[in-house]
Amino acid sequence: MGYRLGVDVGGTFTDLLLFDDASGDFWRHKTPSTPHDSSEGILNGVEALCASAGVSPTEIAFFLHGTTVATNAMLEGKGAQVGLVTTEGYRQIMQIARSFVPGGLAGWIVWPKPEPLAKLEDTVEIKGRMDAEGREVRPVDDGDIRQQLEVLKGRGIEALTISLINAYLNGEHERRVAAIAAEVMPDVPISMSHVVLPEMQEYERTLTTVANAAVRPLVGRYVRNLRDKLEKVEMTGRLSLLRSDGGLMSSQKSEEHPVSLLMSGPAGGVTGALWVAKNAGLDNILTLDVGGTSTDVALIEHGEPRRVRTTEVGHLSVRASSLDVKTVGAGGGSIAYVPELTKALRVGPQSAGAVPGPAAYGKGGTLPTVTDANVVLGYLPENLLGGSFKLDREASTRAVQTIADALGIELMAAARGIIDIVNENMFGALRMISVQQGYDPRGFALMGFGGAGPLHVNAVARLMGSYPAVSPVSPGVLCALGDATTRMRTETARSLSKRLSETSAEEVIATLTEMEAQVRDELIADGIAADEIETGFEVDVRYSGQAFEVPMAVSLADLQRDGLAVLTGRFDAEHLRLFTFNMDTEHELVNLRAVATGRALELPALTLSRGDGDPSQAKLRDHSLWMDGAQHAAVIYDRSKLEAGDVISGPAIVTEMDSTTLIETRHVGTVDAYGNILITPEG
């Protein structure tokens, strides 16, 4: 099997985790991200990691990678200039959009409407039309198509989208336009709507395909650049990227279908958390992934993360499966400030990023950040990363003092105020995925990871009532672990749009079987052995007349045994949980989806030797920190020397190479067999 390398590129750090499939040994490395060209940071990390593990890059069989390239392009509005080909009469599709305005009462007064991803002047219409059954009503005209494509060529477009009416039923006209476009502009990547999203609803299908086209040149460049650089160090293993839904896709597929990468970064953390939870025997978990710039939260119930049918990035909402992750601008680098007008302390979403970073990093940052507040309070000891990383406490104190002066309060009170606000922001995001979706957070454990997750997990668990608070082993590189332990995944969709009385279980089974063959072939083409592929199915169900549907997982065996009643029964139960009522209207089956996944990797988890419950062998030194409005005596422990069964009384700090865990007053941390620290209230 050889080695597999998980790489997660964040806004501040690039995390790498090298895994030996045979022995279960792993090596980890953290290196500063290089925002101008993230492959540089990756390569620095690969070389350092291979050197410390004594492994040659040629021995790495799998390079698995979570990236925020596509996400950041969307958030920063740096997508490519997209040309759009529509059916006659539909030129304004992107401008009309959906009449949805975010914000509360009167929010629309100050809402600047976002610029559509494909401009009106970059949109053309062509003759020809399909009807709602997918039959040709009017043929396309090659001369007309060529003329319109010349217009787009003259506009200098960098990517092309073809989205014609009813193409999800019959893509023949789109394929004809693509064939001519390949002659007219051979270097421009083409995205066809019936390939990207073969589902009904013209606007969503067009928007998703345009978003796909907008990030294609960028992601393509990034992937090719990375591949070239890896080849230079003779690393010829298979390069795969993490999809938004927590599966992997081959790098070739990611160049054609990058819309599936929009939530690639956060998905790594959720898949890593799943692996840890399985070992720790936890079934229900809320995840808290705190990085330098932002915090991502997700919910895992009965060992399955919640997936949603839309990926949301900023104000953009596209139809692509993703893990249900909510993001808030609260991280270690979030900047604290006091606005002149209100004189009320605010934290984030602005971040000090990787350059210059928090004042504590000594890279020239002077603004007070969350990391600086943690240093001032004594939650982040000066010697980090095994002593190789020293924090500048004086600089942090100077920075936080500016907040204390602006508010007219003591230094420690100001620092704790910054931490309390950032914890409340994280709590708000967690409420959105739990309480607001009908889940009681008290039935879940809270797992904190990312560089700063374990520093905040105890405090946030206290706000939520979610115990135990879990600090996994090497939480800083958990996203990279997720990248390394996930499996290949692909999916396809089709619209059915039939009421229950108009279709039959046989028709649904026949269509799903056909789709199953398609997704299996895709994975086989990506080099997955046929006997390692698992398939699953989803059907979107709604009450006839509703404008939204609920996805229901189903197996062919269920349908063969119980017919369509198995779907409607599950749908009624879920509708009741989500909306507290059911309707006696007929059910409608909207979309069908087939998903194929490669084999799950059974990675061995290393167990710790059993201790006597006393952690004193791991004690580094006595310490003092500020909590509950006073200075407290605390102890700093070295995580690598802890033994299974050790019980640590708070307040205490546990340090390791890539993270720091804070156990608060009136709490205890217990080390489990695998080295996870489970924090619960005393007594």
Side-chain angles (χ1 to χ4, degrees):
M1 283 291 283
Y3 295 86
R4 58 183 60 241
L5 176 68
V7 179
D8 178 72
V9 179
T12 315
F13 284 108
T14 294
D15 302 322
L16 300 98
L17 187 100
L18 182 67
F19 215 99
D20 180 349
D21 278 349
S23 67
D25 290 338
F26 64 86
W27 297 263
R28 56 199 178 175
H29 186 71
K30 238 182 161 52
T31 180
S33 291
T34 46
H36 62 279
D37 174 6
S38 38
S39 61
E40 272 181 35
I42 294 175
L43 232 68
N44 297 339
V46 169
E47 286 170 344
L49 193 57
C50 285
S52 68
V55 173
S56 148
T58 50
E59 293 175 74
I60 297 172
F62 297 98
F63 183 102
L64 312 149
H65 177 32
T67 173
T68 51
V69 173
T71 327
N72 294 343
M74 280 300 162
L75 288 174
E76 295 164 15
K78 291 189 179 149
Q81 182 185 350
V82 180
L84 172 61
V85 178
T86 59
T87 301
E88 211 169 8
Y90 284 84
R91 189 167 166 238
Q92 282 86 3
I93 188 159
M94 293 293 286
Q95 283 66 29
I96 294 170
R98 289 263 176 246
S99 59
F100 166 73
V101 176
L105 195 61
W108 51 271
I109 296 175
V110 290
W111 184 56
K113 194 170 175 184
E115 191 60 46
L117 285 175
K119 295 194 172 86
L120 191 58
E121 51 269 42
D122 293 334
T123 307
V124 296
E125 301 180 331
I126 60 159
K127 298 182 174 74
R129 181 154 184 150
M130 294 287 178
D131 71 6
E133 305 290 320
R135 292 184 299 252
E136 186 175 78
V137 181
R138 247 200 343 266
V140 286
D141 170 349
D142 286 5
D144 168 55
I145 294 172
R146 205 172 284 275
Q147 189 185 344
Q148 298 302 334
L149 289 173
E150 288 291 351
V151 171
L152 292 179
K153 187 180 179 179
R155 297 267 319 151
I157 61 161
E158 300 162 309
L160 179 70
T161 295
I162 305 164
S163 182
L164 305 178
I165 209 82
N166 295 326
Y168 66 94
L169 292 161
N170 181 345
E172 201 184 318
H173 286 177
E174 287 193 349
R175 284 191 291 274
R176 184 67 202 133
V177 178
I180 297 173
E183 296 167 22
V184 176
M185 29 187 150
D187 302 332
V188 173
I190 299 166
S191 299
M192 293 182 280
S193 78
H194 77 276
V195 175
V196 173
L197 185 73
E199 289 184 17
M200 59 183 255
Q201 296 189 310
E202 301 324 320
Y203 172 65
E204 282 73 9
R205 180 160 52 86
T206 304
L207 176 67
T208 303
T209 315
V210 167
N212 191 63
V215 291
R216 252 183 97 161
L218 212 80
V219 170
R221 264 200 307 277
Y222 173 74
V223 170
R224 287 191 296 275
N225 183 12
L226 181 58
R227 226 186 276 135
D228 294 346
K229 288 206 169 149
L230 292 174
E231 275 167 15
K232 286 204 181 90
V233 292
E234 293 181 6
M235 188 156 144
T236 50
R238 206 164 72 211
L239 172 62
S240 303
L241 280 87
L242 193 67
R243 297 161 48 105
S244 308
D245 59 16
L248 287 169
M249 67 202 299
S250 66
S251 62
Q252 287 77 8
K253 186 88 191 284
S254 70
E255 287 183 57
E256 292 158 25
H257 208 279
V259 75
S260 295
L261 296 175
L262 287 174
M263 288 301 258
S264 170
V270 181
T271 49
L274 272 171
W275 188 75
V276 171
K278 209 165 71 189
N279 291 331
L282 296 167
D283 220 15
N284 292 348
I285 330 159
L286 293 162
T287 66
L288 181 72
D289 178 358
V290 187
T293 312
S294 60
T295 292
D296 302 317
V297 300
L299 180 140
I300 297 170
E301 188 187 28
H302 304 318
E304 270 295 312
R306 265 183 70 99
R307 286 193 172 85
V308 285
R309 281 294 296 135
T310 50
T311 303
E312 292 184 13
V313 176
H315 59 76
L316 181 76
S317 174
V318 297
R319 273 283 172 88
S321 283
S322 68
L323 296 176
D324 189 6
V325 175
K326 295 276 183 283
T327 302
V328 283
S334 294
I335 296 167
Y337 60 103
V338 180
E340 267 305 304
L341 195 66
T342 57
K343 290 284 182 217
L345 176 62
R346 303 285 297 273
V347 180
Q350 302 84 349
S351 167
V355 185
Y361 288 1
K363 285 191 187 169
T366 53
L367 296 171
T369 66
V370 170
T371 298
D372 295 312
N374 275 317
V375 170
V376 168
L377 292 161
Y379 303 165
L380 258 183
E382 281 89 307
N383 292 350
L384 271 185
L385 295 179
S388 64
F389 203 70
K390 288 234 186 309
L391 292 172
D392 185 343
R393 197 179 169 133
E394 277 78 54
S396 288
T397 307
R398 280 197 301 276
V400 178
Q401 189 65 51
T402 61
I403 297 290
D405 296 345
L407 292 169
I409 57 176
E410 294 286 295
L411 172 72
M412 289 300 180
R416 186 64 217 194
I418 293 171
I419 299 301
D420 285 342
I421 286 177
V422 85
N423 287 341
E424 285 288 342
N425 289 347
M426 294 173 192
F427 176 42
L430 281 160
R431 278 182 64 90
M432 274 161 62
I433 56 155
S434 58
V435 181
Q436 292 186 19
Q437 309 222 30
Y439 294 98
D440 183 342
R442 291 170 300 191
F444 289 77
L446 180 68
M447 189 181 296
F449 50 92
L455 259 181
H456 294 268
V457 71
N458 192 166
V460 179
R462 201 182 59 229
L463 294 170
M464 299 278 299
S466 299
Y467 288 108
V470 185
S471 167
V473 181
S474 64
V477 295
L478 194 78
C479 286
L481 172 80
D483 297 339
T485 56
T486 186
R487 51 207 213 159
M488 296 293 278
R489 180 182 167 106
T490 186
E491 63 171 55
T492 185
R494 274 194 213 167
S495 283
L496 185 70
S497 310
K498 288 186 175 174
R499 288 203 290 276
L500 218 58
S501 57
E502 302 168 341
T503 183
S504 64
E506 291 71 38
E507 181 184 10
V508 173
I509 290 167
T511 311
L512 289 176
T513 309
E514 202 180 302
M515 291 162 70
E516 178 181 30
Q518 182 190 333
V519 288
R520 284 183 69 87
D521 291 347
E522 273 184 39
L523 284 191
I524 291 168
D526 278 341
I528 306 288
D531 56 356
E532 290 183 359
I533 298 174
E534 290 174 20
T535 48
F537 305 96
E538 252 185 10
V539 180
D540 291 343
V541 186
R542 66 183 179 192
Y543 291 122
S544 184
Q546 276 181 326
F548 60 90
E549 43 290 331
V550 178
M552 301 273 93
V554 70
S555 70
L556 291 180
D558 289 345
L559 287 169
Q560 276 151 354
R561 192 183 59 246
D562 304 322
L564 297 176
V566 65
L567 281 172
T568 55
R570 282 182 200 168
F571 170 78
D572 287 341
E574 181 68 355
H575 196 280
L576 192 64
R577 191 186 72 75
L578 287 169
F579 308 111
T580 70
F581 71 93
N582 284 135
M583 290 163 66
D584 47 12
T585 326
E586 193 179 0
H587 295 82
E588 184 180 357
L589 308 185
V590 187
N591 299 310
L592 310 179
R593 260 183 308 284
V595 179
T597 45
R599 188 172 57 91
L601 293 159
E602 288 307 319
L603 294 177
L606 301 177
T607 51
L608 297 190
S609 54
R610 198 115 201 118
D612 54 3
D614 176 7
S616 53
Q617 79 285 350
K619 179 173 170 176
L620 280 174
R621 58 180 189 270
D622 287 313
H623 185 62
S624 162
L625 52 77
W626 174 275
M627 198 173 278
D628 302 337
Q631 215 54 43
H632 289 267
V635 180
I636 299 179
Y637 295 96
D638 175 354
R639 187 156 192 172
S640 61
K641 299 199 174 111
L642 289 172
E643 294 169 332
D646 282 356
V647 179
I648 305 166
S649 298
I653 290 169
V654 181
T655 70
E656 59 191 297
M657 192 223 50
D658 58 359
S659 191
T660 303
T661 306
L662 174 66
I663 301 169
E664 297 203 334
T665 49
R666 298 188 297 283
H667 284 78
V668 291
T670 310
V671 181
D672 77 0
Y674 298 101
N676 301 306
I677 301 172
L678 309 178
I679 305 168
T680 49
E682 261 173 10

